Amino acid sequence: MIDVPSIADLNLTVTFPAVFLALFTMVVLIVDLFIPKDRKIRTAHLTLGGLVVAFVWNVLVFDSNQTALGGMYIADSFSGFINFIALTAAIITCFLSVDYLKRTGIEQGEFYSLLLFSTAGVMFMGAASDLIVVFIALEILSIPLYVMAAMRYRDAKSEESGLKYFILGAFASAFFLYGAALVYGATGTTSLPEIFASVEGIVATDSGARLYLVLGAALIFVGLGFKVAVVPFHMWTPDVYEGAPTPVTAFMSVAAKAGGFAALLRLMVIALPELTANIGDTIAIWQTTIAIVAAATMILGNFVAIVQTNVKRMLAYSSIAHAGYILMGVAAVGTIGVAEEATRAALIYMLAYTFTNLGAFAVVMALEKDDGSGTQIADFKGLSRSRPLLAVMMAFFMLSLTGVPTTAGFIGKFLLFGAALEAGLVLLTIIGVLTSVVSAYYYVRIIVNMYLEDGEGDPAEGATQYLNYATYAAFAGTLIIGLFPFLAVNLLDTMMIAGLF
Amino acid sequence: MVEVEAFIVLSAALFILGAMGVVLRRNAILVFMSVELMLNAANLALVAFAWHWGGMDGHIFVFFVITVAAAEVAVGLALIVAIFRSRQSINIDELHLMEG
Amino acid sequence: MPEALSVGSSLSLTTITLFLPMVGLTILLFMNEEKDKDAIKWTAFGFTIATFIASLLMAFNFDVNDAGLQMAQRNDWLPQLGISYFVGVDGLSMLMVLLSTIIMPIAVMASFRAGVLEERGRSKLYYIFMLLLEWAMIGVFVVQDLIIFYIFWEVTLVPMYFLIGIWGAENRVYAAVKFFLYTMAGSILMLLAILYVGNAAGTFAVPEIIAGVQSGQLTFVMDGVFSEQSFLFLGFLIAFAIKVPIWPLHSWLPDAHVQAPTAGSVVLAGVLLKMGTYAMIRFNLPMFPEASVTWAPVVAGLGVIGIIYGAWVCYAQTDMKKLVAYSSVSHLGFVVLGIFSLTPQGIQGATIQMISHGISTGGLFLMVGMLYERRHTKLMAAYGGIWKAMPVFGGIGLIISLSSMGLPGLNGFVGEFTILLGAIGSGVLGIGFALVATVGVILAAVYILKMFQAIFMGELDKEENMNLPDLHWQEIAVLVPILLLIFWIGLQPSAWFDMLDATTASLIAGIADFAPEIIVQAGS
């Protein structure tokens, strides 16, 4: 009755980056047992090695456009790009963590295994073409993060952050799961391409199945909305971001977000674009809802960020706002014909945000004291005198988050606004543009503190060798995408690399 | 197909009860149990639909959910224990070191 | 979909001029703040001079009879979206580039003796920002692609923000943030309009878009006052109007000027404000001809209000830097009036006025700065009889003041007179616009003379002013090019007009295709 697929049918080569990373996690876990407590840097080196292997392999199978694991895993330029983002984020986070963990007294080998596991989750998320895989990937991504958030276990804030994240994360998973169940009930399949194939028929018949489908899609959106922190499912973000150890916050703000959006885009692009009110409509039924959520997210995130005094909290609200911008791209996907452009815009935006935000957190960590203090905005006073290079880079990251040209942030925003306009979402685009101006206010305030205010200037003792590598990498990424955006777009667009093999 | 709808109504009721539990309960353990209730409501729906469609997907899904739920329990209980140790309480209203 | 324009992709003189400041900036990055103090400033100065020479080469290569783009270059930047690095100059761009490259060495040299640089230090950063500013300004004037234009446009904000914020006066942080947010808010709406136009045209190359508009392949609907084309027109215009600034969007200007260091003010008034008026001519008129005609009376009306308002506020000032700042509002009102008279004279006059204003107002700001370095106050009441203490300075001051108020024979007169001619001959504006603007000319004489009298004339009765040293050779060196230009444009303006003839003629002809009424009286 059931065909047992041969190993060759599984097509494992293209899944290698993600599968390898998941397996490598176990290796790190075991090897770490034999590494003495005071030489945990070896674990970090090992982790980096694994990440680099996955990274290189990802480049080799990039955009091979094949399915694997019996159609549950799809390796195309989309998943390749998500892998690229996830691995970049993980590598930079690894550099960020080495010295930070040591000086704050939470250096444990498990940290790196958890980081690898979570990264693998993001990668599976991007490549999943089946609801079951999406769900499992979501959990692989989330569960390690709950632990990592609570890693600083002597600090009540960190524990609190972990528990909050856990409860709301599990709550969100339940929503996602119930939504997936309803979609399965409506279509009789969990495979995304097959769901896509049956949606049009369901729309045409207007049966009870349609109700299941719409309800299921809504619940899935709620579940993923929690993960990527869009209004009104954002309440956990500031507390979790503030309480978690900073490298975890940095990783969470980019990788978890990338994973969540990857799944969201997959679902919206592959499975549900045809979910229209009537046959022949060019706008998906969910577009308006998502557009409203996106608008609310941009407005709330940006306005609340203004009043924050703690940089980690400010960046938390800013990450909510940025989720709103990416969601604008998701909404644009709902106009048939714009899907490709909008997906591209959202992906480039995510890459730009990854570099920029990791960079910003790197500088925050440089200023952070061993006890977790030193992350107030006022602590940035005079940084341009005490650490000119660090200040220049931080200023650049802030301008990138604002979306000022020559930075990666501008390219992302410009592509997104363009896609949204093309999708006919004029009002949403105007809101996006105006909230960008609002955001300039609080990002510029950090620059004001660093350059224009008088002050002694923090020595930024956290800026150790490894952390500096991470900051430079993030800075280079932000600058290169800003000046030569065609590199990133080509990476996404062309078959060049895959064509070589 | 009256039967399948009956199952779905039941599972929806369980799901809503669970969601209300998460929102209204203040004890972390009970909140956590409510989440489990929601997961199991979804399991029920999955099984019912699988029976309706006569396919294996739903059943497979349920097995994975059970596994994942177990993993969540492991992490969740550990976190709750850690919190209890440090402040002798697992009332989630008392988790407000960071506000603003 | 407009046809693609074929332009060479090899290195052009324009690119060389554009990137020379960047070369200088890169060299500065590797210098040591403490050890190479003098080397830093002379390197910065050297590169502004080199850029100036490069732009002179461009001017010599420039063919005044060719209305199209010259020394153009085009390379792909983001081909998937139709964006290219596309530079080139026509008469208008050429003059604006020259203005920038003339003002920059003056501004850099004027910084050599700035007390604020001694006091706050960080001179390396200062000169880096100056060069970055020059790069971005030249970029604004030479790029022919909307997105790249937007990039340069926004980048000018960053160095100016730091120049005001770090080396400004007491209220510098407030002024810098206000400047940044105000102008950014305006320009980000322009980004929307740019994206809209680019989506419709399938390209962001301005010449291709204009060709598309003129051949009718690309139309923006214009039915009634508020329609597609009007919104796009306004999207661009508001960004530019804030930069100019047109009344009532000017409130950032006095703050920015008063707080900025002298060189910052010189560049701000001399070049940055002109980016707005330049862009109106470059983008608004040819891309949205019908909307330009419809909205011309409104915009020109705001310009005229600005002329009178600026002059009126000037008269009430006691702070000389504020007075010069408000005089910019008034002078640029003339420029706006000239542009939206939609006549060749009006636009040529506006361009000449932009240059004249850059030179005279730049000169006035330099003078204010020189007085401030000596007495540390900008209040006119603190001076009086300065001519007796500083005769050289007084003589130069008289010429610059007269030039600013538009005395015939000096540069200010040429621009204002041509603008008034254009406004009178305009097919879209009534005679009233020109009449009110003429009142502005008289008011300008009043406030400039009032300032001159308060500072230079009268008795040298204040103890502190008795022994003020006259100008240092570096200060004279800064002012001499300004004097030369004042006389050159004033006495021999035809060379400048020649540059513009072909460009303005083809521009107006393009608009006339859509709105023939604008050339009714052009011949008179």
Side-chain angles (χ1 to χ4, degrees):
Chain A
M1 193 178 83
I2 299 170
D3 293 328
V4 180
S6 70
I7 293 289
D9 289 340
L10 291 179
N11 203 2
L12 281 173
T13 9
V14 295
T15 69
F16 187 80
V19 171
F20 164 77
L21 209 61
L23 294 175
F24 190 74
T25 308
M26 325 283 182
V27 175
V28 172
L29 209 50
I30 294 165
V31 171
D32 179 60
L33 288 176
F34 303 100
I35 295 177
K37 192 104 186 82
D38 55 339
R39 328 226 358 218
K40 289 298 179 198
I41 196 154
R42 291 281 146 79
T43 319
H45 289 153
L46 186 66
T47 309
L48 274 174
L51 286 168
V52 168
V53 170
F55 192 92
V56 170
W57 196 273
N58 180 48
V59 171
L60 297 183
V61 299
F62 192 77
D63 199 13
S64 48
N65 252 330
Q66 293 178 43
T67 58
L69 306 179
M72 288 190 153
Y73 186 105
I74 174 163
D76 54 5
S77 62
F78 181 90
S79 64
F81 202 74
I82 292 290
N83 289 352
F84 185 75
I85 294 177
L87 291 167
T88 309
I91 291 173
I92 294 181
T93 309
C94 216
F95 276 111
L96 287 180
S97 311
V98 176
D99 293 314
Y100 182 90
L101 296 181
K102 196 169 203 167
R103 70 190 175 93
T104 54
I106 51 173
E107 189 178 40
Q108 275 169 340
E110 291 81 3
F111 179 90
Y112 296 104
S113 317
L114 291 168
L115 178 69
L116 284 174
F117 236 136
S118 193
T119 311
V122 179
M123 292 163 75
F124 276 114
M125 203 97 158
S129 96
D130 192 293
L131 285 175
I132 300 180
V133 182
V134 177
F135 177 71
I136 297 169
L138 185 66
E139 294 298 319
I140 297 181
L141 154 66
S142 306
I143 294 178
L145 283 178
Y146 305 148
V147 183
M148 285 159 80
M151 201 86 185
R152 187 142 79 195
Y153 51 86
R154 276 173 298 242
D155 177 3
K157 272 188 181 180
S158 176
E159 280 177 348
E160 192 177 312
S161 150
L163 187 66
K164 272 186 182 162
Y165 193 30
F166 166 70
I167 287 177
L168 285 163
F171 191 50
S173 300
F175 273 97
F176 176 86
L177 184 63
Y178 202 80
L182 288 180
V183 170
Y184 170 60
T187 57
T189 173
T190 54
S191 151
L192 296 186
E194 286 172 33
I195 292 172
F196 172 71
S198 56
V199 164
E200 205 172 350
I202 291 170
V203 171
T205 55
D206 196 25
S207 59
R210 184 151 175 262
L211 178 69
Y212 287 154
L213 197 58
V214 173
L215 217 58
L219 287 177
I220 287 179
F221 177 66
V222 171
L224 292 175
F226 266 107
K227 282 287 157 215
V228 298
V230 296
V231 173
F233 317 116
H234 64 283
M235 309 80 69
W236 57 272
T237 323
D239 288 356
V240 172
Y241 278 25
E242 188 188 338
T246 314
V248 180
T249 311
F251 182 72
M252 211 154 36
S253 70
V254 294
K257 201 155 278 198
F261 273 113
L264 209 51
L265 282 165
R266 273 272 189 229
L267 278 165
M268 297 312 188
V269 178
I270 297 188
L272 299 171
E274 305 280 301
L275 186 58
T276 50
N278 297 295
I279 294 292
D281 283 2
T282 53
I283 292 178
I285 197 169
W286 42 263
Q287 188 183 54
T288 317
T289 318
I290 292 200
I292 291 170
V293 172
T297 308
M298 292 187 285
I299 292 171
L300 184 129
N302 280 318
F303 275 94
V304 183
I306 289 179
V307 298
Q308 301 304 322
T309 53
N310 181 307
V311 180
K312 275 171 88 176
R313 259 185 117 75
M314 188 206 89
L315 286 174
Y317 280 106
S318 122
S319 90
I320 294 175
H322 285 278
Y325 291 114
I326 304 174
L327 202 59
M328 195 158 110
V330 179
V333 165
T335 303
I336 290 162
V338 190
E340 195 192 340
E341 196 188 332
T343 311
R344 178 166 68 194
L347 286 176
I348 300 282
Y349 195 97
M350 276 191 252
L351 183 67
Y353 182 69
T354 301
F355 280 121
T356 311
N357 217 38
L358 285 175
F361 272 112
V363 180
V364 173
M365 284 169 59
L367 265 70
E368 191 174 335
K369 305 282 175 287
D370 293 356
D371 59 357
S373 68
T375 58
Q376 298 298 314
I377 291 183
D379 293 320
F380 279 81
K381 272 190 187 153
L383 191 68
S384 66
R385 287 195 184 79
S386 57
R387 300 301 292 256
L389 188 58
L390 216 52
V392 165
M393 291 194 286
M394 186 63 173
F396 196 73
F397 295 136
M398 289 299 119
L399 291 176
S400 177
L401 288 172
T402 315
V404 172
T406 71
T407 64
F410 167 71
I411 302 298
K413 279 216 170 106
F414 145 70
L415 290 172
L416 267 182
F417 292 156
L421 266 188
E422 191 151 342
L425 299 162
V426 179
L427 193 61
L428 184 63
T429 320
I430 292 177
I431 293 175
V433 160
L434 292 180
T435 50
S436 303
V437 180
V438 174
S439 77
Y441 182 79
Y442 58 87
Y443 293 130
V444 165
R445 209 168 44 166
I446 293 203
I447 303 181
V448 168
N449 270 288
M450 290 190 304
Y451 281 92
L452 315 188
E453 297 280 349
D454 299 322
E456 274 296 295
D458 194 285
E461 277 156 358
T464 55
Q465 193 185 14
Y466 277 93
L467 188 109
N468 283 341
Y469 292 152
T471 324
Y472 299 150
F475 180 69
T478 314
L479 187 65
I480 288 171
I481 299 176
L483 291 180
F484 311 109
F486 50 85
L487 293 177
V489 176
N490 286 347
L491 187 66
L492 189 56
D493 273 8
T494 62
M495 314 279 274
M496 250 166 43
I497 300 169
L500 292 176
F501 295 90
Chain B
M1 281 299 151
V2 181
E3 298 90 335
V4 100
E5 270 151 25
F7 283 118
I8 300 312
V9 169
L10 176 62
S11 84
L14 289 174
F15 185 79
I16 292 167
L17 276 177
M20 284 170 64
V22 173
V23 177
L24 300 176
R25 287 290 181 175
R26 308 273 43 103
N27 181 312
I29 296 274
L30 286 176
V31 168
F32 187 39
M33 284 168 70
S34 302
V35 171
E36 291 298 308
L37 186 62
M38 292 167 77
L39 290 180
N40 282 314
N43 279 346
L44 180 60
L46 279 170
V47 174
F49 281 131
W51 170 66
H52 168 73
W53 289 105
M56 291 302 291
D57 297 8
H59 297 301
I60 297 170
F61 209 152
V62 169
F63 277 106
F64 277 113
V65 174
I66 293 171
T67 321
V68 163
E72 273 189 355
V73 170
V75 169
L77 286 182
L79 282 170
I80 293 173
V81 168
I83 290 261
F84 184 75
R85 269 204 204 142
S86 63
R87 53 179 94 176
Q88 310 300 320
S89 156
I90 45 171
N91 187 330
I92 54 173
D93 277 345
E94 289 170 21
L95 300 179
H96 47 60
L97 283 175
M98 302 162 284
E99 294 292 329
Chain C
M1 188 79 71
E3 284 162 39
L5 211 80
S6 74
V7 172
S9 63
S10 54
L11 187 67
S12 68
L13 201 49
T14 318
T15 303
I16 295 174
T17 311
L18 174 56
F19 281 93
L20 266 177
M22 265 304 180
V23 176
L25 192 157
T26 318
I27 294 173
L28 280 192
L29 280 179
F30 293 100
M31 288 184 152
N32 185 302
E33 168 96 55
E34 306 297 327
K35 275 190 282 181
D36 312 326
K37 213 156 188 204
D38 281 334
I40 286 175
K41 64 187 190 187
W42 285 106
T43 310
F45 182 69
F47 272 91
T48 53
I49 289 288
T51 316
F52 174 59
I53 292 170
S55 70
L56 275 185
L57 284 179
M58 284 176 75
F60 286 129
N61 270 320
F62 189 82
D63 175 8
V64 291
N65 298 317
D66 183 354
L69 285 178
Q70 304 181 32
M71 290 163 267
Q73 176 186 351
R74 186 173 187 180
N75 305 85
D76 279 346
W77 192 64
L78 202 49
Q80 289 90 342
L81 294 157
I83 306 171
S84 52
Y85 167 79
F86 186 1
V87 294
V89 290
D90 60 3
L92 177 63
S93 296
M94 190 64 243
L95 285 184
M96 299 317 291
V97 170
L98 281 173
L99 174 66
S100 321
T101 56
I102 291 168
I103 296 285
M104 278 317 289
I106 293 175
V108 168
M109 193 156 195
S111 316
F112 286 3
R113 293 173 53 78
V116 71
L117 267 180
E118 297 294 323
E119 182 191 319
R120 302 222 181 95
R122 295 205 260 185
S123 57
K124 175 176 155 184
L125 198 60
Y126 179 89
Y127 290 110
I128 285 179
F129 282 133
M130 286 299 250
L131 288 174
L132 185 63
L133 193 58
E134 177 163 32
W135 174 68
M137 287 185 321
I138 298 176
V140 164
F141 293 132
V142 298
V143 292
Q144 303 294 335
D145 182 284
L146 283 174
I147 294 292
I148 311 282
F149 165 78
Y150 180 80
I151 290 179
F152 280 112
W153 176 270
E154 286 284 271
V155 166
T156 57
L157 281 183
V158 176
M160 202 61 217
Y161 165 81
F162 283 108
L163 286 177
I164 297 175
I166 301 181
W167 295 279
E170 311 76 43
N171 230 342
R172 55 186 179 272
V173 176
Y174 169 77
V177 173
K178 185 171 176 182
F179 166 75
F180 190 85
L181 292 183
Y182 211 123
T183 29
M184 187 180 167
S187 49
I188 204 151
L189 279 175
M190 172 170 72
L191 178 62
L192 269 189
I194 287 177
L195 288 171
Y196 192 98
V197 171
N199 265 340
T203 171
F204 288 95
V206 181
E208 287 171 12
I209 294 172
I210 294 174
V213 167
Q214 272 166 11
S215 65
Q217 286 165 310
L218 179 65
T219 43
F220 300 112
V221 182
M222 185 71 195
D223 49 356
V225 178
F226 291 102
S227 53
E228 188 189 16
Q229 196 178 127
S230 282
F231 284 120
L232 292 173
F233 174 82
L234 291 176
F236 278 88
L237 186 85
I238 290 171
F240 303 151
I242 288 176
K243 202 67 144 199
V244 173
I246 295 180
W247 183 89
L249 300 170
H250 63 278
S251 80
W252 63 269
L253 180 86
D255 286 312
H257 265 317
V258 172
Q259 304 300 330
T262 302
S265 290
V266 171
V267 180
L268 189 60
V271 189
L272 282 187
L273 305 186
K274 277 63 176 196
M275 286 170 22
T277 40
Y278 160 82
M280 286 178 194
I281 305 178
R282 165 74 64 235
F283 302 113
N284 278 71
L285 301 190
M287 289 199 311
F288 316 113
E290 289 143 305
S292 299
V293 173
T294 309
W295 287 87
V298 178
V299 186
L302 292 177
V304 171
I305 294 177
I307 296 175
I308 301 295
Y309 170 85
W312 188 260
V313 178
C314 276
Y315 185 76
Q317 294 306 318
T318 52
D319 178 321
M320 48 190 185
K321 209 169 180 189
K322 237 179 186 157
L323 189 151
V324 180
Y326 275 109
S327 81
S328 292
V329 177
S330 183
H331 281 135
L332 285 160
F334 275 103
V335 177
V336 174
L337 174 66
I339 295 171
F340 283 91
S341 73
L342 300 180
T343 55
Q345 293 98 320
I347 291 174
Q348 290 181 3
T351 314
I352 300 296
Q353 171 79 348
M354 286 188 234
I355 293 168
S356 296
H357 173 260
I359 292 162
S360 344
T361 308
L364 287 176
F365 274 122
L366 287 171
M367 285 166 47
V368 172
M370 288 165 187
L371 282 175
Y372 182 79
E373 292 293 337
R374 288 171 169 72
R375 287 278 283 106
H376 295 283
T377 174
K378 290 175 223 156
L379 293 177
M380 282 186 272
Y383 299 94
I386 298 294
W387 193 310
K388 295 192 181 99
M390 303 168 66
V392 180
F393 185 60
I396 298 176
L398 179 63
I399 297 169
I400 296 180
S401 300
L402 291 177
S403 131
S404 178
M405 66 182 243
L407 189 80
L410 301 180
N411 63 342
F413 174 76
V414 179
E416 281 175 14
F417 182 72
T418 324
I419 288 172
L420 289 176
L421 270 188
I424 292 168
S426 167
V428 288
L429 303 180
I431 189 80
F433 288 87
L435 286 180
V436 180
T438 316
V439 176
V441 178
I442 298 163
L443 290 178
V446 175
Y447 67 76
I448 290 281
L449 286 179
K450 182 188 162 218
M451 177 175 86
F452 187 78
Q453 189 164 13
I455 296 171
F456 291 103
M457 296 291 140
E459 283 305 307
L460 185 61
D461 50 3
K462 298 198 179 51
E463 187 69 38
E464 313 85 311
N465 294 340
M466 299 286 187
N467 298 313
L468 288 182
D470 210 337
L471 296 183
H472 184 265
W473 69 266
Q474 278 180 357
E475 290 173 321
I476 296 179
V478 164
L479 291 172
V480 162
I482 289 183
L483 292 181
L484 287 179
L485 284 165
I486 285 177
F487 284 112
W488 183 14
I489 301 176
L491 299 173
Q492 200 46 260
S494 59
W496 299 79
F497 281 105
D498 286 347
M499 282 254 186
L500 289 166
D501 272 340
T503 308
T504 41
S506 87
L507 175 71
I508 293 298
I511 306 173
D513 289 343
F514 292 87
E517 68 265 28
I518 66 164
I519 44 168
V520 170
Q521 289 142 326
S524 68

